[in-house]
Amino acid sequence: MPEITLSPSENPDAFFTTILNVLAHGKTLTSAEAEAAFGIIMDGTLPAERVAAFLMALRVRGEDAGEVLGAVTALRRRMIPVPQVPADTIDVCGTGGDNYGTLNVSTAVAFVLAALGVPVAKHGNRAVSSRAGASDVLQALGVPLLANPTELSRQLNLHKLVFLAAPHHHPAMRHAAPVRKALGIRTLFNLLGPMVNPAGVKHQLIGVFSAEWLNLVVDVLHRLGSERVWAVCGQPEGETQGIDELTLAGPTRVVALENGNTHTLVVQAEMAGLPYAPVSAIRGGDATHNAQALEALLRGADGAYRDTVLLNAACALHVAGRRSILKGLHIDPQAFRECVADVSRVLDNGAALAVLNGLRTSSSGTHAQDMTG
């Protein structure tokens, strides 16, 4: 078994070779070793084939919480943060990678939460599991994606909502992007996006593409100081693949971090008074199609898309600390339905649409492809 005795700062290439040898023996890295290895990748000094070998070795053996913690720490150290963020700001996003190609759920939820007075800093990257990521949809809606951190802070405080394009805040990620694209399969990077929000949010509703990762995501965020997190994975009936949001199509598994403790839940749409609908009922299309559906939703349109957004937004209100839908460690159906009613009102009275129109008038900035959901 090789031992890691080299310093990554003195000889990065030799250090990384030792890291690869450790992984080739099926052993795990400490969080410090993983942080150093990901730091070398993010600094752009390695050839693509060595990065690919590293990512595949982790994937084949299976990544553990310490390695993910190290990767997140390396990325956070290199990101461009957003200043002066309200302490109760929340992020709602998904990992992507579920391949269902749905309409943009978490983006719609962000507008709803902002209309309810909850500050939202939604972070993400290019579309992973849909034909149109949020950046494409927002551009089709006429919403500029700003790059200047000071302007982003101003927009968040003015409109209660800001969209953070990962390329603006994580320039070091460009060194891994070609390898990820060439591999064409899920790697550790699919999990990292929701955990490296540039606004430093402590409240998050995170959709995860597979339930096997729920505990790990919550464990890592807990160790990094998050206060309230729900990691969720929908389990559509008749499907083998999970979906990275709460779903109407079956139960949703939840691992929740609240008051310093972690517990598990199962959420069903009927608990919120919402009807069953298959995933196909919210199948998306290109950016124009998804943008039209999102604006129609904000104008009060009914249907499975609205109900999916209501389900997710009601849970997000709980995660934000604005409402409680739990009694003890279980869902309280009455409180859940009351929360859904609150969310419904801002879709029907134009408040959510007003947030969209407010963002449309924001000063224009650099556009970038952005976000899943």
Side-chain angles (χ1 to χ4, degrees):
M1 170 67 192
E3 294 184 4
I4 300 177
T5 58
L6 297 167
S7 167
S9 59
E10 292 177 1
N11 194 332
D13 191 67
F15 173 83
F16 202 82
T17 296
T18 306
I19 290 288
L20 290 177
N21 276 323
V22 169
L23 295 177
H25 282 77
K27 303 301 182 181
T28 59
L29 304 175
T30 66
S31 60
E33 291 164 353
E35 180 184 348
F38 275 93
I40 293 169
I41 293 172
M42 294 298 97
D43 292 339
T45 62
L46 291 176
E49 59 268 23
R50 286 168 68 76
V51 178
F54 175 76
L55 293 176
M56 283 303 300
L58 289 172
R59 169 70 192 271
V60 170
R61 193 212 64 218
E63 303 89 341
D64 81 343
E67 291 165 339
V68 176
L69 175 63
V72 171
T73 302
L75 283 171
R76 287 189 177 190
R77 290 188 188 280
R78 290 162 176 78
M79 73 182 179
I80 300 170
V82 177
Q84 298 178 323
V85 174
D88 58 345
T89 300
I90 187 173
D91 187 9
V92 286
C93 64
T95 59
D98 61 20
N99 298 312
Y100 281 106
T102 61
L103 294 167
N104 302 79
V105 173
S106 60
T107 303
V109 170
F111 285 108
V112 169
L113 293 176
L116 288 162
V118 179
V120 183
K122 180 164 166 48
H123 174 242
N125 208 336
R126 292 184 298 174
V128 175
S129 58
S130 63
R131 291 172 56 191
S135 62
D136 308 302
V137 171
L138 292 166
Q139 188 168 358
L141 288 167
V143 175
L145 294 175
L146 308 178
N148 182 281
T150 302
E151 281 297 302
L152 289 165
S153 177
R154 183 195 64 81
Q155 187 181 79
L156 175 58
N157 284 279
L158 179 63
H159 298 291
K160 299 295 185 183
L161 176 58
V162 69
F163 293 94
L164 307 176
H168 293 158
H169 301 275
H170 298 286
M173 286 285 287
R174 71 185 186 277
H175 299 299
V179 173
R180 296 178 65 195
K181 184 175 181 180
L183 288 175
I185 61 171
R186 195 276 301 164
T187 69
L188 179 62
F189 280 102
N190 289 82
L191 291 172
L192 299 184
M195 292 189 275
V196 292
N197 185 295
V201 299
K202 300 298 184 184
H203 297 251
Q204 292 183 260
L205 176 65
I206 299 176
V208 182
F209 59 86
S210 174
E212 68 178 297
W213 298 105
L214 295 176
N215 281 292
L216 182 148
V217 167
V218 171
D219 179 30
V220 170
L221 288 172
H222 189 191
R223 291 159 73 175
L224 288 168
S226 290
E227 296 173 3
R228 181 172 284 191
V229 177
W230 276 27
V232 308
C233 180
Q235 310 284 295
E237 293 181 1
E239 302 284 351
T240 58
Q241 173 65 51
I243 187 168
D244 68 340
E245 60 208 20
L246 291 114
T247 184
L248 305 174
T252 297
R253 292 182 58 185
V254 181
V255 175
L257 168 65
E258 304 190 34
N259 302 315
N261 298 308
T262 301
H263 59 96
T264 61
L265 297 166
V266 175
V267 177
Q268 299 270 11
E270 57 263 32
M271 295 174 177
L274 298 168
Y276 169 89
V279 176
S280 59
I282 58 168
R283 194 80 69 196
D286 61 16
T288 300
H289 173 89
N290 286 16
Q292 290 173 345
L294 199 157
E295 184 157 3
L297 168 75
L298 299 184
R299 293 182 181 277
D302 289 323
Y305 186 26
R306 175 188 171 103
D307 290 343
T308 302
V309 170
L310 293 177
L311 179 66
N312 282 266
C315 291
L317 268 184
H318 173 89
V319 176
R322 297 300 182 92
R323 296 291 299 267
S324 176
I325 61 172
L326 297 182
K327 181 177 291 185
L329 300 181
H330 303 282
I331 296 291
D332 179 346
Q334 180 178 346
F336 203 178
R337 293 178 186 215
E338 290 172 356
C339 199
V340 167
D342 287 344
V343 175
S344 297
R345 279 192 284 274
V346 299
L347 289 173
D348 294 332
N349 66 15
L353 180 63
V355 175
L356 170 60
N357 289 331
L359 291 178
R360 281 169 164 161
T361 64
S362 296
S363 58
S364 61
T366 302
H367 286 70
Q369 283 194 319
D370 176 20
M371 309 175 200
T372 58

